[in-house]
């Protein structure tokens, strides 16, 4: 009788161990297969906060009540490699469209260079995209002549990318959130090295 009890107990233990192993295996399998939650790269800037800072140099900036998501598109870097807004995910991105034949652009560029040098880093980047049809040589010559050091060279010589973003006239500046959505737009130049502009950018970096 005692041996039967022991044998029965052993069988129960073995079955329980087997069931536990199956449950653990299935749990691990489901966890591996389940899509992983994506951690937002940062807070979306509050539109009301940014609107309150749309003064002085940025008095004409339009802050969107809701961020605008544009279709994927690309431009190129100075070496001709394709670049898209996805390459700047995780950062507040200032995108400026300019050209050497645009007098307000030429006046504005040094202040963008200063802004990039002062605030650029892990949380913020300035992306200045030249629309000069002559391409790299024309834009690089301007950089060299003006001593532009903190702005990498980006190009859209055909204007196709800028048109896809409904850019008309120059300069035009887009402010993108950390996921690449447009949260504000300025048509016309600004002194981006001014305290007004830096306060706006710092608020965007802090987020809501």
């Amino acid at each position: 009788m005692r041996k039967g009890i022991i044998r029965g107990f052993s069988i129960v233990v073995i079955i329980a161990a087997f069931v536990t192993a199956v449950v653990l295996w299935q749990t691990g399998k489901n966890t591996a297969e389940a899509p992983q939650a994506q951690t937002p790269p940062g807070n979306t800037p509050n539109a009301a906060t940014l609107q309150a800072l749309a003064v002085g140099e940025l008095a004409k900036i339009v802050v969107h009540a809701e961020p605008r998501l544009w279709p994927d598109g690309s431009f190129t870097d100075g070496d001709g490699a394709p670049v898209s807004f996805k390459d700047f995910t995780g950062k507040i991105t200032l995108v400026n469209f300019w050209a050497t034949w645009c007098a307000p652009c030429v006046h504005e560029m040094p202040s963008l260079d200063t802004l990039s040098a002062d605030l650029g880093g892990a949380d913020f980047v300035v992306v200045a995209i030249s629309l000069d049809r002559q391409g790299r040589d024309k834009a690089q010559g301007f950089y060299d002549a003006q001593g532009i050091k903190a702005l990498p060279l980006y190009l859209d010589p055909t204007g196709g990318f800028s048109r896809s973003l409904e850019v008309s006239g120059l300069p035009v500046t887009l402010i993108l959130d950390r996921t690449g959505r447009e949260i504000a737009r300025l048509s016309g130049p600004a002194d981006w090295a001014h305290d007004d502009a830096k306060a706006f950018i710092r608020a965007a970096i802090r987020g809501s």
Side-chain angles (χ1 to χ4, degrees), residues 146-160:
Q146 296 296 319
I148 303 297
K149 301 294 185 183
L151 298 178
L153 189 62
Y154 295 107
L155 308 166
D156 180 30
T158 67

Side-chain angles (χ1 to χ4, degrees), residues 21 37 47 60 64 75 79 82 85 92 97 99 101 128 133 136 144 148-149 154 157 179 196 199 205:
K60 295 182 179 180
H64 307 313
F75 45 104
D79 295 323
F85 288 161
I92 296 297
F97 291 94
W101 46 259
R133 293 186 181 276
R136 183 184 186 282
D144 294 342
I148 303 297
K149 301 294 185 183
Y154 295 107
T179 63
D196 295 337
I205 291 171

Side-chain angles (χ1 to χ4, degrees), residues 76 129-136 155-160:
T76 69
I129 304 176
S130 167
L131 271 64
D132 282 283
R133 293 186 181 276
Q134 297 92 332
R136 183 184 186 282
L155 308 166
D156 180 30
T158 67

Side-chain angles (χ1 to χ4, degrees), residues 15 43 58 83 93 145 177 185-186:
I15 292 174
N43 294 331
L58 297 189
V83 183
T93 305
D177 69 11
R185 176 180 293 221
L186 176 64

Side-chain angles (χ1 to χ4, degrees), residues 16-34:
F18 175 77
V19 171
T20 300
V22 170
V23 170
L24 291 175
W25 175 80
Q26 187 64 39
T27 300
K29 181 173 180 291
N30 290 342
T31 300
E33 293 177 351

Side-chain angles (χ1 to χ4, degrees), residues 32-207:
E33 293 177 351
Q36 300 299 308
Q38 298 298 312
T39 302
N43 294 331
T44 298
N46 183 274
T49 300
L50 295 182
Q51 187 62 62
L53 292 169
V55 298
E57 285 295 315
L58 297 189
K60 295 182 179 180
I61 197 168
V62 176
V63 177
H64 307 313
E66 296 293 335
R68 302 177 67 182
L69 179 62
W70 293 103
D72 290 340
S74 65
F75 45 104
T76 69
D77 64 16
D79 295 323
V83 183
S84 75
F85 288 161
K86 291 181 180 179
D87 294 309
F88 308 103
T89 297
K91 298 183 179 185
I92 296 297
T93 305
L94 183 155
V95 183
N96 177 268
F97 291 94
W98 70 283
T100 59
W101 46 259
C102 165
C105 301
V106 170
H107 181 73
E108 181 182 49
M109 287 296 286
S111 71
L112 284 168
D113 192 51
T114 299
L115 179 67
S116 180
D118 290 350
L119 298 186
D123 291 312
F124 174 65
V125 62
V126 177
V127 178
I129 304 176
S130 167
L131 271 64
D132 282 283
R133 293 186 181 276
Q134 297 92 332
R136 183 184 186 282
D137 290 344
K138 187 70 173 180
Q140 187 62 60
F142 172 82
Y143 269 33
D144 294 342
Q146 296 296 319
I148 303 297
K149 301 294 185 183
L151 298 178
L153 189 62
Y154 295 107
L155 308 166
D156 180 30
T158 67
F161 181 68
S162 65
R163 286 193 296 273
S164 73
L165 302 178
E166 299 178 4
V167 170
S168 59
L170 292 179
V172 171
T173 301
L174 282 54
I175 309 296
L176 310 181
D177 69 11
R178 295 176 188 268
T179 63
R181 299 176 301 174
E182 182 183 325
I183 56 175
R185 176 180 293 221
L186 176 64
S187 296
D191 179 359
W192 292 99
H194 195 280
D195 289 344
D196 295 337
K198 289 183 178 180
F200 188 96
I201 296 301
R202 288 191 176 104
I205 291 171
R206 287 194 302 271

